[in-house]
Amino acid sequence: MADPVAGIAGSAAKSVRPFRSSEAYVEAMKEDLAEWLNALYGLGLPSGGEGFLTGLATGTTLCQHANAVTEAARALAAARPARGVAFQAHSVVPGSFMARDNVATFIGWCRTELGVPEVLMFETEDLVLRKNEKSVVLCLLEVARRGARLGLLAPRLVQFEQEIERELRAAPPAPSAPAAEEDATEIATVAGAPARGPRMTPSDLRNLDELVREILGYCTCPDQFPMIKVSEGKYRVGDSSLLIFVRVLRSHVMVRVGGGWDTLEHYLDKHDPCRCSSSGQSYLRTSNQVHSKSLSSSGIVTQ
């Protein structure tokens, strides 16, 4: 009979460690983008695993959204995007020539019409063969930001960004304090576009504080990495005056970092000296074990 205590411990490890990986924020963004596209177009895109990108692999939804953004720009007399796209909308099979052509058409529109920076672009094979999920997700999030400026529905993360930008603009300047990481990208909203920032309820904020304390509690060192609450959803971290904005996205605690997002767990893994050391030691142990097994299988005995 299986040990129930060991089973609980194993489940806990699985629930914690994946959200500390460098790819955890990609999963969080996929969930958010799936919900956003489902709301816009009445789709049934799954939010987890490879299902989200598989559902977009025909390129039809992407091209449909490109035309929706173009129509919104025309309605507001915005300069760009000026032209939509022509695409195959029916009987498109993922991985087929038509699917690849649709995806390539959307990519070209992002570059030429929307002006998405090259660093945020992806290639056709990244989506069709799911070679690089991160590039696809980052590009789609940027496309969502551009559409939100034209009044289209925004994903939850983009709504959070708008909320944070409003808070930053409303706050009095503090020249003596270092600029927050999040103040790197200004959202220029087109005049007349409706604000779609979500309001955080007292329940959301209470859960946020509890989740932050829980994640900080993963470290059992006598001197824990300081993370002090300044106001609702805003914390001061480390020994500096650096401020970060934290939000809850379903089961994820997200941190606004520069022009993007990270999970709080991974952010602490990179900034908390204790966690950085633990991650490095864990990596070295794993590497040594793999190396030892390789040598053993080659008939080389290690001491």
Side-chain angles (χ1 to χ4, degrees), residues 89-129:
H90 304 290
S91 303
V92 182
V93 178
S96 66
F97 172 80
M98 286 188 294
R100 293 171 185 272
D101 189 56
N102 282 347
V103 174
T105 297
F106 173 76
I107 291 172
W109 176 84
C110 289
R111 281 197 174 101
T112 60
E113 292 296 322
L114 210 57
V116 174
E118 197 62 32
V119 69
L120 296 176
M121 289 302 305
F122 67 97
E123 300 300 329
T124 303
E125 299 298 289
D126 293 337
L127 175 57
V128 174
L129 299 181

mmCIF file of all heavy atoms in Angstrom, residues 89-129:
data_model
loop_
_atom_site.group_PDB
_atom_site.id
_atom_site.type_symbol
_atom_site.label_atom_id
_atom_site.label_comp_id
_atom_site.label_asym_id
_atom_site.label_seq_id
_atom_site.Cartn_x
_atom_site.Cartn_y
_atom_site.Cartn_z
ATOM 1 N N ALA A 89 -10.033 30.713 -44.561
ATOM 2 C CA ALA A 89 -10.768 30.562 -43.303
ATOM 3 C C ALA A 89 -11.444 29.205 -43.148
ATOM 4 O O ALA A 89 -11.860 28.852 -42.041
ATOM 5 C CB ALA A 89 -11.820 31.664 -43.183
ATOM 6 N N HIS A 90 -11.572 28.427 -44.205
ATOM 7 C CA HIS A 90 -12.338 27.184 -44.139
ATOM 8 C C HIS A 90 -11.485 25.985 -44.554
ATOM 9 O O HIS A 90 -10.606 26.092 -45.410
ATOM 10 C CB HIS A 90 -13.573 27.266 -45.036
ATOM 11 C CG HIS A 90 -14.459 28.432 -44.729
ATOM 12 N ND1 HIS A 90 -15.216 28.523 -43.589
ATOM 13 C CD2 HIS A 90 -14.682 29.591 -45.421
ATOM 14 C CE1 HIS A 90 -15.890 29.655 -43.586
ATOM 15 N NE2 HIS A 90 -15.578 30.325 -44.680
ATOM 16 N N SER A 91 -11.767 24.873 -43.921
ATOM 17 C CA SER A 91 -11.120 23.592 -44.254
ATOM 18 C C SER A 91 -9.606 23.664 -44.177
ATOM 19 O O SER A 91 -8.895 23.115 -45.030
ATOM 20 C CB SER A 91 -11.550 23.134 -45.654
ATOM 21 O OG SER A 91 -12.953 23.031 -45.748
ATOM 22 N N VAL A 92 -9.109 24.355 -43.161
ATOM 23 C CA VAL A 92 -7.662 24.459 -42.969
ATOM 24 C C VAL A 92 -7.231 23.421 -41.944
ATOM 25 O O VAL A 92 -7.771 23.365 -40.829
ATOM 26 C CB VAL A 92 -7.258 25.868 -42.492
ATOM 27 C CG1 VAL A 92 -5.744 25.961 -42.350
ATOM 28 C CG2 VAL A 92 -7.779 26.923 -43.456
ATOM 29 N N VAL A 93 -6.273 22.602 -42.298
ATOM 30 C CA VAL A 93 -5.779 21.538 -41.425
ATOM 31 C C VAL A 93 -4.461 21.985 -40.798
ATOM 32 O O VAL A 93 -3.576 22.484 -41.507
ATOM 33 C CB VAL A 93 -5.559 20.237 -42.216
ATOM 34 C CG1 VAL A 93 -5.007 19.135 -41.318
ATOM 35 C CG2 VAL A 93 -6.865 19.808 -42.872
ATOM 36 N N PRO A 94 -4.310 21.848 -39.478
ATOM 37 C CA PRO A 94 -3.033 22.221 -38.857
ATOM 38 C C PRO A 94 -1.855 21.510 -39.511
ATOM 39 O O PRO A 94 -1.914 20.317 -39.793
ATOM 40 C CB PRO A 94 -3.213 21.760 -37.400
ATOM 41 C CG PRO A 94 -4.687 21.780 -37.185
ATOM 42 C CD PRO A 94 -5.286 21.373 -38.495
ATOM 43 N N GLY A 95 -0.787 22.256 -39.769
ATOM 44 C CA GLY A 95 0.394 21.688 -40.390
ATOM 45 C C GLY A 95 0.365 21.691 -41.907
ATOM 46 O O GLY A 95 1.381 21.399 -42.541
ATOM 47 N N SER A 96 -0.792 22.018 -42.492
ATOM 48 C CA SER A 96 -0.906 22.034 -43.952
ATOM 49 C C SER A 96 -0.287 23.299 -44.529
ATOM 50 O O SER A 96 0.069 24.236 -43.809
ATOM 51 C CB SER A 96 -2.380 21.951 -44.362
ATOM 52 O OG SER A 96 -3.070 23.126 -43.937
ATOM 53 N N PHE A 97 -0.180 23.319 -45.855
ATOM 54 C CA PHE A 97 0.364 24.503 -46.524
ATOM 55 C C PHE A 97 -0.495 25.722 -46.234
ATOM 56 O O PHE A 97 0.022 26.824 -45.994
ATOM 57 C CB PHE A 97 0.454 24.265 -48.033
ATOM 58 C CG PHE A 97 0.833 25.496 -48.801
ATOM 59 C CD1 PHE A 97 2.158 25.910 -48.881
ATOM 60 C CD2 PHE A 97 -0.144 26.269 -49.435
ATOM 61 C CE1 PHE A 97 2.508 27.059 -49.585
ATOM 62 C CE2 PHE A 97 0.205 27.413 -50.138
ATOM 63 C CZ PHE A 97 1.532 27.810 -50.217
ATOM 64 N N MET A 98 -1.824 25.560 -46.262
ATOM 65 C CA MET A 98 -2.712 26.699 -46.018
ATOM 66 C C MET A 98 -2.543 27.226 -44.592
ATOM 67 O O MET A 98 -2.587 28.436 -44.356
ATOM 68 C CB MET A 98 -4.170 26.304 -46.275
ATOM 69 C CG MET A 98 -4.511 26.155 -47.751
ATOM 70 S SD MET A 98 -6.277 25.915 -48.049
ATOM 71 C CE MET A 98 -6.523 24.308 -47.277
ATOM 72 N N ALA A 99 -2.359 26.305 -43.653
ATOM 73 C CA ALA A 99 -2.157 26.720 -42.268
ATOM 74 C C ALA A 99 -0.871 27.528 -42.136
ATOM 75 O O ALA A 99 -0.834 28.588 -41.500
ATOM 76 C CB ALA A 99 -2.123 25.506 -41.345
ATOM 77 N N ARG A 100 0.188 27.022 -42.732
ATOM 78 C CA ARG A 100 1.468 27.736 -42.683
ATOM 79 C C ARG A 100 1.357 29.101 -43.357
ATOM 80 O O ARG A 100 1.935 30.084 -42.906
ATOM 81 C CB ARG A 100 2.567 26.899 -43.345
ATOM 82 C CG ARG A 100 2.908 25.630 -42.584
ATOM 83 C CD ARG A 100 3.837 24.730 -43.393
ATOM 84 N NE ARG A 100 4.070 23.466 -42.706
ATOM 85 C CZ ARG A 100 5.032 23.259 -41.821
ATOM 86 N NH1 ARG A 100 5.880 24.241 -41.526
ATOM 87 N NH2 ARG A 100 5.176 22.088 -41.240
ATOM 88 N N ASP A 101 0.616 29.145 -44.459
ATOM 89 C CA ASP A 101 0.450 30.408 -45.169
ATOM 90 C C ASP A 101 -0.323 31.414 -44.311
ATOM 91 O O ASP A 101 0.019 32.603 -44.280
ATOM 92 C CB ASP A 101 -0.286 30.168 -46.483
ATOM 93 C CG ASP A 101 -0.291 31.396 -47.372
ATOM 94 O OD1 ASP A 101 0.804 31.916 -47.680
ATOM 95 O OD2 ASP A 101 -1.387 31.851 -47.753
ATOM 96 N N ASN A 102 -1.363 30.949 -43.618
ATOM 97 C CA ASN A 102 -2.116 31.836 -42.723
ATOM 98 C C ASN A 102 -1.224 32.381 -41.614
ATOM 99 O O ASN A 102 -1.265 33.582 -41.307
ATOM 100 C CB ASN A 102 -3.291 31.074 -42.100
ATOM 101 C CG ASN A 102 -4.462 30.917 -43.039
ATOM 102 O OD1 ASN A 102 -4.530 31.561 -44.084
ATOM 103 N ND2 ASN A 102 -5.399 30.050 -42.678
ATOM 104 N N VAL A 103 -0.444 31.511 -41.000
ATOM 105 C CA VAL A 103 0.428 31.941 -39.911
ATOM 106 C C VAL A 103 1.465 32.933 -40.417
ATOM 107 O O VAL A 103 1.731 33.963 -39.788
ATOM 108 C CB VAL A 103 1.117 30.728 -39.246
ATOM 109 C CG1 VAL A 103 2.142 31.191 -38.206
ATOM 110 C CG2 VAL A 103 0.081 29.822 -38.592
ATOM 111 N N ALA A 104 2.053 32.642 -41.580
ATOM 112 C CA ALA A 104 3.039 33.551 -42.172
ATOM 113 C C ALA A 104 2.405 34.900 -42.503
ATOM 114 O O ALA A 104 3.041 35.960 -42.343
ATOM 115 C CB ALA A 104 3.645 32.922 -43.426
ATOM 116 N N THR A 105 1.158 34.888 -42.949
ATOM 117 C CA THR A 105 0.451 36.138 -43.248
ATOM 118 C C THR A 105 0.269 36.963 -41.985
ATOM 119 O O THR A 105 0.473 38.190 -41.996
ATOM 120 C CB THR A 105 -0.922 35.829 -43.877
ATOM 121 O OG1 THR A 105 -0.729 35.144 -45.119
ATOM 122 C CG2 THR A 105 -1.715 37.095 -44.113
ATOM 123 N N PHE A 106 -0.104 36.314 -40.896
ATOM 124 C CA PHE A 106 -0.269 37.024 -39.629
ATOM 125 C C PHE A 106 1.064 37.600 -39.160
ATOM 126 O O PHE A 106 1.126 38.748 -38.698
ATOM 127 C CB PHE A 106 -0.825 36.063 -38.569
ATOM 128 C CG PHE A 106 -0.875 36.656 -37.188
ATOM 129 C CD1 PHE A 106 -1.849 37.560 -36.840
ATOM 130 C CD2 PHE A 106 0.080 36.290 -36.236
ATOM 131 C CE1 PHE A 106 -1.893 38.111 -35.554
ATOM 132 C CE2 PHE A 106 0.050 36.825 -34.957
ATOM 133 C CZ PHE A 106 -0.939 37.746 -34.621
ATOM 134 N N ILE A 107 2.130 36.828 -39.267
ATOM 135 C CA ILE A 107 3.451 37.298 -38.850
ATOM 136 C C ILE A 107 3.857 38.528 -39.663
ATOM 137 O O ILE A 107 4.358 39.524 -39.114
ATOM 138 C CB ILE A 107 4.487 36.167 -39.001
ATOM 139 C CG1 ILE A 107 4.215 35.064 -37.981
ATOM 140 C CG2 ILE A 107 5.906 36.709 -38.828
ATOM 141 C CD1 ILE A 107 5.060 33.817 -38.173
ATOM 142 N N GLY A 108 3.624 38.466 -40.974
ATOM 143 C CA GLY A 108 3.942 39.615 -41.816
ATOM 144 C C GLY A 108 3.146 40.841 -41.437
ATOM 145 O O GLY A 108 3.669 41.969 -41.446
ATOM 146 N N TRP A 109 1.880 40.654 -41.089
ATOM 147 C CA TRP A 109 1.032 41.782 -40.652
ATOM 148 C C TRP A 109 1.556 42.378 -39.353
ATOM 149 O O TRP A 109 1.585 43.604 -39.207
ATOM 150 C CB TRP A 109 -0.395 41.272 -40.470
ATOM 151 C CG TRP A 109 -1.348 42.287 -39.928
ATOM 152 C CD1 TRP A 109 -2.032 43.245 -40.634
ATOM 153 C CD2 TRP A 109 -1.744 42.441 -38.560
ATOM 154 N NE1 TRP A 109 -2.821 43.985 -39.788
ATOM 155 C CE2 TRP A 109 -2.666 43.521 -38.509
ATOM 156 C CE3 TRP A 109 -1.412 41.787 -37.380
ATOM 157 C CZ2 TRP A 109 -3.251 43.941 -37.324
ATOM 158 C CZ3 TRP A 109 -1.986 42.205 -36.196
ATOM 159 C CH2 TRP A 109 -2.892 43.266 -36.162
ATOM 160 N N CYS A 110 1.974 41.529 -38.422
ATOM 161 C CA CYS A 110 2.532 42.025 -37.155
ATOM 162 C C CYS A 110 3.752 42.911 -37.410
ATOM 163 O O CYS A 110 3.917 43.964 -36.778
ATOM 164 C CB CYS A 110 2.924 40.859 -36.250
ATOM 165 S SG CYS A 110 1.540 39.942 -35.553
ATOM 166 N N ARG A 111 4.582 42.484 -38.337
ATOM 167 C CA ARG A 111 5.816 43.226 -38.623
ATOM 168 C C ARG A 111 5.528 44.543 -39.348
ATOM 169 O O ARG A 111 5.988 45.611 -38.926
ATOM 170 C CB ARG A 111 6.746 42.378 -39.484
ATOM 171 C CG ARG A 111 7.530 41.318 -38.737
ATOM 172 C CD ARG A 111 8.715 40.833 -39.585
ATOM 173 N NE ARG A 111 9.549 39.910 -38.824
ATOM 174 C CZ ARG A 111 9.515 38.591 -38.956
ATOM 175 N NH1 ARG A 111 8.670 38.034 -39.804
ATOM 176 N NH2 ARG A 111 10.314 37.813 -38.237
ATOM 177 N N THR A 112 4.801 44.463 -40.449
ATOM 178 C CA THR A 112 4.669 45.629 -41.331
ATOM 179 C C THR A 112 3.559 46.574 -40.917
ATOM 180 O O THR A 112 3.709 47.795 -41.021
ATOM 181 C CB THR A 112 4.435 45.166 -42.771
ATOM 182 O OG1 THR A 112 3.229 44.380 -42.832
ATOM 183 C CG2 THR A 112 5.595 44.322 -43.259
ATOM 184 N N GLU A 113 2.427 46.037 -40.466
ATOM 185 C CA GLU A 113 1.281 46.885 -40.152
ATOM 186 C C GLU A 113 1.224 47.304 -38.683
ATOM 187 O O GLU A 113 0.901 48.446 -38.386
ATOM 188 C CB GLU A 113 -0.014 46.162 -40.534
ATOM 189 C CG GLU A 113 -0.209 45.981 -42.014
ATOM 190 C CD GLU A 113 -0.355 47.316 -42.743
ATOM 191 O OE1 GLU A 113 -0.993 48.232 -42.191
ATOM 192 O OE2 GLU A 113 0.188 47.431 -43.855
ATOM 193 N N LEU A 114 1.541 46.381 -37.809
ATOM 194 C CA LEU A 114 1.434 46.698 -36.387
ATOM 195 C C LEU A 114 2.746 47.208 -35.808
ATOM 196 O O LEU A 114 2.757 47.859 -34.772
ATOM 197 C CB LEU A 114 0.969 45.447 -35.622
ATOM 198 C CG LEU A 114 0.149 45.684 -34.345
ATOM 199 C CD1 LEU A 114 -1.084 46.512 -34.651
ATOM 200 C CD2 LEU A 114 -0.258 44.361 -33.720
ATOM 201 N N GLY A 115 3.854 46.900 -36.487
ATOM 202 C CA GLY A 115 5.149 47.380 -36.007
ATOM 203 C C GLY A 115 5.631 46.712 -34.738
ATOM 204 O O GLY A 115 6.290 47.341 -33.907
ATOM 205 N N VAL A 116 5.314 45.439 -34.587
ATOM 206 C CA VAL A 116 5.777 44.702 -33.406
ATOM 207 C C VAL A 116 7.301 44.580 -33.473
ATOM 208 O O VAL A 116 7.843 44.186 -34.513
ATOM 209 C CB VAL A 116 5.130 43.305 -33.343
ATOM 210 C CG1 VAL A 116 5.720 42.488 -32.196
ATOM 211 C CG2 VAL A 116 3.620 43.422 -33.195
ATOM 212 N N PRO A 117 8.021 44.901 -32.403
ATOM 213 C CA PRO A 117 9.487 44.799 -32.420
ATOM 214 C C PRO A 117 9.949 43.387 -32.746
ATOM 215 O O PRO A 117 9.310 42.400 -32.366
ATOM 216 C CB PRO A 117 9.884 45.199 -30.993
ATOM 217 C CG PRO A 117 8.740 46.004 -30.484
ATOM 218 C CD PRO A 117 7.513 45.438 -31.130
ATOM 219 N N GLU A 118 11.055 43.287 -33.441
ATOM 220 C CA GLU A 118 11.557 41.994 -33.879
ATOM 221 C C GLU A 118 11.838 41.065 -32.707
ATOM 222 O O GLU A 118 11.696 39.844 -32.818
ATOM 223 C CB GLU A 118 12.828 42.189 -34.710
ATOM 224 C CG GLU A 118 13.206 40.993 -35.556
ATOM 225 C CD GLU A 118 12.155 40.646 -36.601
ATOM 226 O OE1 GLU A 118 11.474 41.575 -37.100
ATOM 227 O OE2 GLU A 118 12.011 39.446 -36.920
ATOM 228 N N VAL A 119 12.237 41.638 -31.575
ATOM 229 C CA VAL A 119 12.560 40.811 -30.412
ATOM 230 C C VAL A 119 11.325 40.081 -29.890
ATOM 231 O O VAL A 119 11.440 39.077 -29.182
ATOM 232 C CB VAL A 119 13.184 41.676 -29.294
ATOM 233 C CG1 VAL A 119 12.154 42.629 -28.706
ATOM 234 C CG2 VAL A 119 13.810 40.812 -28.208
ATOM 235 N N LEU A 120 10.136 40.551 -30.247
ATOM 236 C CA LEU A 120 8.893 39.925 -29.798
ATOM 237 C C LEU A 120 8.227 39.091 -30.888
ATOM 238 O O LEU A 120 7.118 38.594 -30.694
ATOM 239 C CB LEU A 120 7.902 40.996 -29.310
ATOM 240 C CG LEU A 120 8.331 41.798 -28.084
ATOM 241 C CD1 LEU A 120 7.302 42.893 -27.774
ATOM 242 C CD2 LEU A 120 8.506 40.882 -26.879
ATOM 243 N N MET A 121 8.895 38.934 -32.017
ATOM 244 C CA MET A 121 8.302 38.191 -33.119
ATOM 245 C C MET A 121 8.592 36.689 -32.999
ATOM 246 O O MET A 121 9.468 36.266 -32.255
ATOM 247 C CB MET A 121 8.832 38.717 -34.453
ATOM 248 C CG MET A 121 8.312 40.094 -34.828
ATOM 249 S SD MET A 121 6.507 40.165 -34.930
ATOM 250 C CE MET A 121 6.173 38.846 -36.098
ATOM 251 N N PHE A 122 7.836 35.904 -33.765
ATOM 252 C CA PHE A 122 8.083 34.466 -33.833
ATOM 253 C C PHE A 122 8.082 34.038 -35.290
ATOM 254 O O PHE A 122 7.717 34.808 -36.184
ATOM 255 C CB PHE A 122 7.038 33.682 -33.036
ATOM 256 C CG PHE A 122 5.633 33.734 -33.603
ATOM 257 C CD1 PHE A 122 5.153 32.713 -34.419
ATOM 258 C CD2 PHE A 122 4.774 34.790 -33.300
ATOM 259 C CE1 PHE A 122 3.858 32.751 -34.946
ATOM 260 C CE2 PHE A 122 3.486 34.841 -33.817
ATOM 261 C CZ PHE A 122 3.023 33.818 -34.636
ATOM 262 N N GLU A 123 8.523 32.818 -35.545
ATOM 263 C CA GLU A 123 8.553 32.270 -36.891
ATOM 264 C C GLU A 123 7.422 31.259 -37.071
ATOM 265 O O GLU A 123 6.869 30.754 -36.096
ATOM 266 C CB GLU A 123 9.908 31.603 -37.165
ATOM 267 C CG GLU A 123 11.099 32.541 -37.045
ATOM 268 C CD GLU A 123 11.035 33.710 -38.021
ATOM 269 O OE1 GLU A 123 10.462 33.526 -39.120
ATOM 270 O OE2 GLU A 123 11.548 34.794 -37.693
ATOM 271 N N THR A 124 7.108 30.966 -38.301
ATOM 272 C CA THR A 124 5.989 30.064 -38.605
ATOM 273 C C THR A 124 6.138 28.724 -37.892
ATOM 274 O O THR A 124 5.184 28.207 -37.294
ATOM 275 C CB THR A 124 5.895 29.840 -40.127
ATOM 276 O OG1 THR A 124 5.754 31.099 -40.787
ATOM 277 C CG2 THR A 124 4.700 28.953 -40.465
ATOM 278 N N GLU A 125 7.328 28.152 -37.926
ATOM 279 C CA GLU A 125 7.547 26.839 -37.317
ATOM 280 C C GLU A 125 7.401 26.876 -35.797
ATOM 281 O O GLU A 125 7.118 25.848 -35.178
ATOM 282 C CB GLU A 125 8.947 26.318 -37.675
ATOM 283 C CG GLU A 125 9.185 26.137 -39.169
ATOM 284 C CD GLU A 125 8.233 25.117 -39.770
ATOM 285 O OE1 GLU A 125 8.390 23.921 -39.501
ATOM 286 O OE2 GLU A 125 7.311 25.530 -40.510
ATOM 287 N N ASP A 126 7.605 28.050 -35.201
ATOM 288 C CA ASP A 126 7.447 28.162 -33.750
ATOM 289 C C ASP A 126 6.028 27.820 -33.321
ATOM 290 O O ASP A 126 5.815 27.253 -32.245
ATOM 291 C CB ASP A 126 7.798 29.588 -33.282
ATOM 292 C CG ASP A 126 9.262 29.896 -33.457
ATOM 293 O OD1 ASP A 126 10.068 28.947 -33.506
ATOM 294 O OD2 ASP A 126 9.612 31.098 -33.538
ATOM 295 N N LEU A 127 5.057 28.163 -34.162
ATOM 296 C CA LEU A 127 3.662 27.856 -33.851
ATOM 297 C C LEU A 127 3.226 26.541 -34.466
ATOM 298 O O LEU A 127 2.669 25.682 -33.778
ATOM 299 C CB LEU A 127 2.754 28.985 -34.340
ATOM 300 C CG LEU A 127 1.244 28.752 -34.191
ATOM 301 C CD1 LEU A 127 0.881 28.457 -32.733
ATOM 302 C CD2 LEU A 127 0.458 29.948 -34.702
ATOM 303 N N VAL A 128 3.485 26.347 -35.745
ATOM 304 C CA VAL A 128 3.002 25.149 -36.439
ATOM 305 C C VAL A 128 3.583 23.883 -35.817
ATOM 306 O O VAL A 128 2.872 22.895 -35.604
ATOM 307 C CB VAL A 128 3.342 25.232 -37.935
ATOM 308 C CG1 VAL A 128 2.965 23.928 -38.638
ATOM 309 C CG2 VAL A 128 2.625 26.407 -38.585
ATOM 310 N N LEU A 129 4.873 23.912 -35.515
ATOM 311 C CA LEU A 129 5.521 22.745 -34.913
ATOM 312 C C LEU A 129 5.794 22.940 -33.423
ATOM 313 O O LEU A 129 6.452 22.098 -32.807
ATOM 314 C CB LEU A 129 6.846 22.463 -35.648
ATOM 315 C CG LEU A 129 6.727 22.131 -37.135
ATOM 316 C CD1 LEU A 129 8.110 21.860 -37.722
ATOM 317 C CD2 LEU A 129 5.804 20.942 -37.358
#
